Amino acid sequence: RLYFCRRKALKRKSITMTEKQDPKTKPPPIPSQIRKRRPDGRISGGTLRPLSAEVSCLGRADGSSKFSSGSTQVLCAVYGPSAPRLTSKERPTGSILSVVFKQGIQNNNNNNSTSSSSTGNTNSQTRNSNTVSTGVMSMTTEREMERWISDCLTSSVKVEDYPRTVIEVVIQVINADGSVMATALNAAVLAFMDAGITMRSLPIATTCLVQPSNGLTSQPYELCLDPTSEEECQKNDNCNNNSVFVFVMDNADTNNIISSFTFGSFSLDSYLSALEGATRAVSAMTAFMRIAMEQKITREAQTLWS
């Protein structure tokens, strides 16, 4: 009996000491526990938004696709290879890629945008007034986008197999909510696969945002894959040195960087870290495109033999 009474007394003493413990001595919270959620609800910076794709969505095009990454939607159509209307555009050694890039008038993060309502405007003036650019797209023009996409596709397509022809690519941005450049190029790649154009490899694009971590992690900066337009436009409290990287890699060899488009200032360490994160994202994007094309082929086979 004396033993049990002494044991109860020691237990009560330990409970009272725990209650009187200074809260300041508690260990600080883990940085991952206090990290804020991203605007679209994602917790980790290394996750992609939900992907969706629709192949052969246009009837008159030789190849078409509708690619969506979250709220960003891009429609692409491929016409050709076909004979050019002007003989001056023929190239005897291979085909020529002609890209037309058009930005949409809808934006998921810009509810206060307005369009011009004046009368008597020409078609070009109406197109420029209806264009809504947010995030990194506000720093580029449609001509720059057309040249960049054309160079990326030309490096992967076997243009020597289609001499004296022209391949026309029309890209229309339906809704822009960040990562528009990468989504547009991925939509064009799916459309080329749908058209059956011979390619050496697939140029897969991904976007990575680098921003200061503000002490939330042990690293001085934080990586965010597939950023939204709100993340691309947000300003940091300490410094406005957010940078955005758009990498285009070869799906057969991720060490082969086809092209890179950068916005803002950055250091070598942040560039290499963004490149490593983009490499993992390219593998996931390649697997998704494979699934999309397999579903398309299976659907056509069932339709053919039904």
Side-chain angles (χ1 to χ4, degrees):
R1 183 180 300 177
L2 179 63
Y3 170 75
F4 286 108
C5 291
R6 188 175 179 182
R7 188 175 179 181
K8 289 182 179 179
L10 290 175
K11 188 175 181 180
R12 291 176 182 175
K13 186 177 180 180
S14 62
I15 293 174
T16 54
M17 290 181 65
T18 305
E19 293 176 353
K20 294 180 180 180
Q21 187 177 6
D22 189 1
K24 295 182 180 179
T25 60
K26 294 182 179 180
I30 303 174
S32 60
Q33 294 178 354
I34 61 178
R35 184 179 300 173
K36 295 182 180 179
R37 287 181 176 267
R38 300 176 65 175
D40 56 350
R42 287 177 291 174
I43 301 177
S44 173
T47 57
L48 301 174
R49 290 180 290 181
L51 302 175
S52 63
E54 182 180 354
V55 188
S56 299
C57 52
L58 299 178
R60 296 187 177 183
D62 296 317
S64 60
S65 68
K66 180 181 179 182
F67 196 90
S68 302
S69 177
S71 299
T72 302
Q73 297 180 358
V74 178
L75 181 65
C76 179
V78 175
Y79 301 91
S82 59
R85 298 178 181 178
L86 301 177
T87 57
S88 59
K89 292 186 178 182
E90 289 185 356
R91 192 172 65 179
T93 58
S95 179
I96 297 178
L97 268 67
S98 176
V99 179
V100 178
F101 182 84
K102 299 180 180 181
Q103 299 188 44
I105 61 175
Q106 296 181 3
N107 178 24
N108 192 57
N109 192 40
N110 189 2
N111 297 327
N112 297 327
S113 60
T114 57
S115 60
S116 174
S117 59
S118 59
T119 58
N121 294 336
T122 60
N123 294 333
S124 60
Q125 291 175 346
T126 304
R127 176 182 175 183
N128 294 332
S129 63
N130 289 338
T131 299
V132 176
S133 300
T134 59
V136 298
M137 292 304 298
S138 60
M139 308 177 189
T140 58
T141 62
E142 294 181 352
R143 303 288 84 78
E144 291 177 342
M145 285 293 302
E146 292 172 357
R147 180 64 181 272
W148 179 73
I149 294 176
S150 177
D151 292 342
C152 293
L153 294 175
T154 303
S155 62
S156 300
V157 175
K158 288 187 176 182
V159 293
E160 61 273 8
D161 293 349
Y162 310 101
R164 302 183 183 276
T165 59
V166 174
I167 302 176
E168 298 181 356
V169 184
V170 181
I171 300 175
Q172 173 68 56
V173 179
I174 302 176
N175 190 23
D177 187 22
S179 305
V180 178
M181 296 180 63
T183 306
L185 182 58
N186 293 333
V189 171
L190 273 179
F192 268 73
M193 296 172 64
D194 183 39
I197 297 177
T198 308
M199 304 179 71
R200 300 184 183 88
S201 59
L202 303 182
I204 308 299
T206 183
T207 308
C208 183
L209 171 69
V210 178
Q211 60 183 357
S213 61
N214 296 329
L216 297 180
T217 60
S218 59
Q219 299 293 333
Y221 47 84
E222 184 180 3
L223 302 180
C224 296
L225 292 176
D226 195 12
T228 62
S229 60
E230 182 178 350
E231 291 176 321
E232 293 177 351
C233 297
Q234 69 183 359
K235 300 298 182 181
N236 191 268
D237 297 335
N238 297 334
C239 50
N240 297 333
N241 58 349
N242 295 350
S243 53
V244 179
F245 304 91
V246 182
F247 294 103
V248 182
M249 300 182 182
D250 191 337
N251 72 316
D253 183 11
T254 54
N255 294 325
N256 182 17
I257 303 176
I258 298 176
S259 175
S260 65
F261 214 109
T262 59
F263 302 89
S265 59
F266 55 90
S267 61
L268 179 60
D269 294 338
S270 62
Y271 182 85
L272 295 178
S273 299
L275 182 61
E276 182 180 359
T279 303
R280 297 192 298 267
V282 165
S283 302
M285 194 71 67
T286 304
F288 171 77
M289 288 186 177
R290 178 183 294 273
I291 294 174
M293 293 304 300
E294 288 178 352
Q295 292 179 353
K296 181 244 182 183
I297 295 174
T298 303
R299 184 175 63 253
E300 290 182 349
Q302 292 177 354
T303 305
L304 180 62
W305 298 103
S306 60

